Amino acid sequence: MNILGIETSCDETAAAVVKDGCEVLSNVVYTQIPLHQPYGGVVPEIASRAHIEKISQVVGEAIAQFRTASVRQQEEGRIDAVAVTYGPGLSPALIVGLNAAKGLAKALGVPLIGINHIEAHLHSPFLYDAGDERRLKTGDGRPEDVAPALGLAISGGNTMWVDMPEYGAYEVIGETLDDAAGEAFDKAAKLLGLGYPGGLKIDRMASAWMAETRSRSEVDSGSSDLFIPFPKGRPRDGVTALAGLPAELCVSFSGLKTALLRYVQKEKPTEADLPRIVASYQEAIVQAVADRTRVALKRKKYKSFILGGGVSLNSRIRAVLADVARDAGVSLLMAKPKYTGDNGAMIAGLAYYRRNHVEDAMTLDANPCLEVGR
Ligand code: KG4
């Protein structure tokens, strides 16, 4: 079954065709980052206009690539359904993808499947390309085989721990009370003059600094002043923002951001000080995420830990969470780097597992606050 997936929830216009939930036959992503860079963050009106300008081209390219792949595989090249992100995200941006998807579903005479963006991030580790080793087709690692699983969706818009008792069933067990991890990275980068978006830049700068520091064996000698001690984002028990979730499974990054601002105001660092600052800031985020993950993995017997979202590309997060998963005896599933950020393949892929939740094409509405598991 070939599903065309469309994603326009934020600042990527994306479309892809995925076969049977996991095999990516085409994948096109147009990123609007340069358009938002002068503003240091995503401007919804600019995002919406850019989606309108690009959607036909992106979808057209995804279909053309799919047809080429089908000819190569000597297959018919038929699209059996159209899937689209209908939330959460920016309302004016979601509407563009939704309208395109409605039109296509009607024109092709196929069902439309509405997909939750965060749930789709948790599907990204299952995506593979035609040339890849077919590990996911048999044995462990297919969506059908991984439950019960703990999911962590960690991106520019979300940081959320999700209990998945079976594949396609989701219950949020912890989340950020304020900024998402990606937002925390981006705001720090802006404050330090590193540009937008800042996650990848901080990752690279921190990695280089840590490699150099390690080579001086400071890490292994346990030097206590290696990292600047930024707060580790643990919310207080009983605060109303927890909304019934346990504090031990939630994070709060707003204090971390303020601590960075105070540090910069007080210490007036030079450019040479930046690598240690960003590595320490990153470490505070990584350790907060690792700590909550350890707690979540102890609360229930899981088979797998599924990691998805733009921030799951972070090299330190990948390394530390791999240790956490190994210590807990669960297998860790992470997306290929190109599927960590927003893309249409994760939408099309998850739709295969949600194909029985088919919506009436003309009544599906954008839901900017769509909850996970609803
Ligand atoms: O998943 P994504 O494309 O968008 C959302 O669904 O939110 O994630 C984008 C976020 C940005 O905040 C970006 O700074 C962050 O992912 N990011 C990273 C890295 N690469 C992207 N954060 C930390 N380390 C990275 N290597």
Side-chain angles (χ1 to χ4, degrees):
M1 183 178 198
N2 300 316
I3 300 183
L4 169 72
I6 297 178
E7 155 65 38
T8 62
S9 66
C10 191
D11 58 346
E12 263 91 29
T13 316
V17 179
V18 176
K19 181 178 173 184
D20 298 339
C22 298
E23 185 176 352
V24 183
L25 299 178
S26 70
N27 183 46
V28 180
V29 180
Y30 164 73
T31 180
Q32 304 175 354
I33 286 174
L35 303 181
H36 301 286
Q37 245 153 6
Y39 307 94
V42 178
V43 182
E45 290 74 14
I46 294 178
S48 166
R49 198 182 320 139
H51 285 311
I52 292 169
E53 283 167 9
K54 283 286 169 184
I55 189 85
S56 302
Q57 185 192 333
V58 167
V59 171
E61 257 178 58
I63 293 175
Q65 282 182 18
F66 160 64
R67 298 237 191 276
T68 310
S70 302
V71 170
R72 214 181 301 126
Q73 297 191 349
Q74 297 183 322
E75 286 184 1
E76 196 191 341
R78 190 190 132 76
I79 289 169
D80 301 295
V82 176
V84 63
T85 310
Y86 73 109
L90 303 169
S91 193
L94 288 165
I95 288 168
V96 179
L98 201 53
N99 285 338
K102 283 179 181 177
L104 265 165
K106 191 140 182 86
L108 294 170
V110 297
L112 178 73
I113 306 168
I115 291 294
N116 180 308
H117 178 84
I118 302 172
E119 294 173 10
H121 268 310
L122 294 176
H123 186 76
S124 54
F126 302 105
L127 299 171
Y128 65 88
D129 300 297
D132 293 353
E133 201 187 321
R134 301 297 170 94
R135 178 178 64 84
L136 297 179
K137 276 209 156 166
T138 51
D140 279 353
R142 287 183 314 176
E144 294 89 338
D145 303 325
V146 296
L150 173 72
L152 168 59
I154 184 163
S155 67
N158 306 280
T159 299
M160 192 177 269
W161 285 263
V162 181
D163 180 31
M164 300 165 68
E166 58 191 68
Y167 200 71
Y170 310 88
E171 190 196 341
V172 178
I173 55 170
E175 65 178 319
T176 177
L177 304 189
D178 35 60
D179 292 346
E183 224 174 331
F185 275 111
D186 294 340
K187 285 179 177 171
K190 192 172 172 189
L191 181 78
L192 297 170
L194 298 175
Y196 170 84
L200 191 56
K201 282 182 194 148
I202 289 182
D203 184 3
R204 287 188 180 144
M205 193 181 266
S207 294
W209 182 78
M210 285 176 71
E212 187 198 320
T213 308
R214 270 210 190 95
S215 65
R216 284 189 269 127
S217 4
E218 285 179 47
V219 168
D220 298 336
S221 68
S223 168
S224 59
D225 61 354
L226 181 66
F227 290 116
I228 301 153
F230 287 125
K232 300 271 188 302
R234 169 76 154 81
R236 274 178 293 121
D237 290 299
V239 295
T240 38
L242 287 167
L245 293 171
E248 63 175 5
L249 291 181
C250 290
V251 282
S252 163
F253 291 128
S254 60
L256 172 62
K257 197 180 54 196
T258 310
L260 175 66
L261 178 64
R262 297 236 169 88
Y263 181 87
V264 169
Q265 285 168 339
K266 186 163 169 263
E267 303 294 333
K268 304 199 175 13
T270 65
E271 213 158 289
D273 302 321
L274 278 186
R276 177 169 174 246
I277 296 174
V278 300
S280 305
Y281 185 88
Q282 171 178 280
E283 197 63 14
I285 296 175
V286 171
Q287 293 305 334
V289 168
D291 176 77
R292 305 320 174 265
T293 304
R294 258 185 227 107
V295 174
L297 289 171
K298 274 200 193 110
R299 289 176 122 220
K300 190 172 160 180
K301 181 87 194 108
Y302 288 110
K303 197 170 163 190
S304 335
F305 174 40
I306 301 174
L307 184 61
V311 179
S312 74
L313 186 60
N314 183 275
S315 54
R316 183 78 180 140
I317 287 209
R318 285 188 168 233
V320 171
L321 291 183
D323 288 346
V324 169
R326 199 198 45 236
D327 293 348
V330 298
S331 47
L332 171 63
L333 295 153
M334 294 190 284
K336 289 173 77 169
K338 68 174 174 177
Y339 298 126
T340 53
D342 291 351
N343 64 81
M346 66 185 194
I347 307 302
L350 180 59
Y352 177 76
Y353 292 89
R354 300 234 125 200
R355 58 194 187 279
N356 297 327
H357 301 245
V358 172
E359 309 281 344
D360 174 354
M362 291 305 136
T363 58
L364 187 63
D365 248 337
N367 183 350
C369 304
L370 184 66
E371 287 177 30
V372 166
R374 294 298 148 101

